[in-house]
Amino acid sequence: MKMHGQRWVYQIGNNVVYIDNAFAWIGWTQERMVINDETVQSTDGWFRARQDYLEPWIVPGGEGLLTVKLAARMIDVACFADLDGQSLVPMQMLKSKWSGPKWSWPEEAEWALANRASSSVVLPG
C-alpha cells in the first residue's frame, strides 16, 4: 500500500527522540516513538485520529514525563511534545512516501526535510 509519513525529531539532552506517523489513504495509521534508535512505543489501527504517548524521563530533581500527542487534522498531522510540562520544539521535521505493507517504514535516507517549521507537517499529495 502507498504510505505517507511524517517525522518529528527532538533533542533532549544527549538523547534523540523520533516521533513517526504514517498513514495510507485507505484508513490505516501507524505511529512509533523511537529513542536513540530503539522503538519504545508503537501503535496502529484503522481510522484513528489521535495518539498519545507517555514515557518516563529522568529530569533534574528526579522522575519526569515525556508527553507526546499526535492529532490528524484536515490536511496535516500535528505533533505536540512536552517534558514535564515544558513544551518542546522539534529540531527537525521530515516527511516521506513509500510503498509497503502495514508496519513498513522508509529507509533513513528516504526521509526528506518538510516544508514547514511548526508542529505539523503538511501531508504529501
Side-chain angles (χ1 to χ4, degrees):
M1 88 180 85
K2 184 72 169 176
M3 301 290 286
H4 303 270
Q6 296 78 229
R7 170 177 275 183
W8 294 264
V9 183
Y10 297 91
Q11 180 80 41
I12 306 174
N14 293 329
N15 300 290
V16 178
V17 178
Y18 299 102
I19 306 299
D20 294 342
N21 164 268
F23 72 94
W25 287 116
I26 62 171
W28 175 256
T29 62
Q30 60 192 43
E31 305 85 19
R32 66 182 179 178
M33 176 189 287
V34 178
I35 301 174
N36 299 329
D37 298 323
E38 180 183 341
T39 301
V40 296
Q41 294 192 45
S42 59
T43 50
D44 65 69
W46 293 97
F47 300 102
R48 295 166 353 104
R50 291 191 60 79
Q51 179 59 51
D52 297 344
Y53 290 133
L54 301 173
E55 186 70 22
W57 205 271
I58 301 296
V59 296
E63 286 280 321
L65 196 60
L66 173 61
T67 303
V68 175
K69 297 178 183 299
L70 291 166
R73 300 188 298 196
M74 200 59 136
I75 62 164
D76 63 8
V77 174
C79 179
F80 303 98
D82 72 65
L83 180 58
D84 231 20
Q86 298 293 319
S87 290
L88 300 174
V89 176
M91 66 179 208
Q92 211 172 34
M93 293 171 46
L94 307 166
K95 63 183 177 178
S96 187
K97 286 195 241 182
W98 68 99
S99 291
K102 296 177 189 173
W103 277 111
S104 67
W105 293 99
E107 297 295 324
E108 289 302 313
E110 294 176 40
W111 290 101
L113 284 175
N115 296 333
R116 293 187 0 192
S118 68
S119 63
S120 63
V121 176
V122 174
L123 300 179

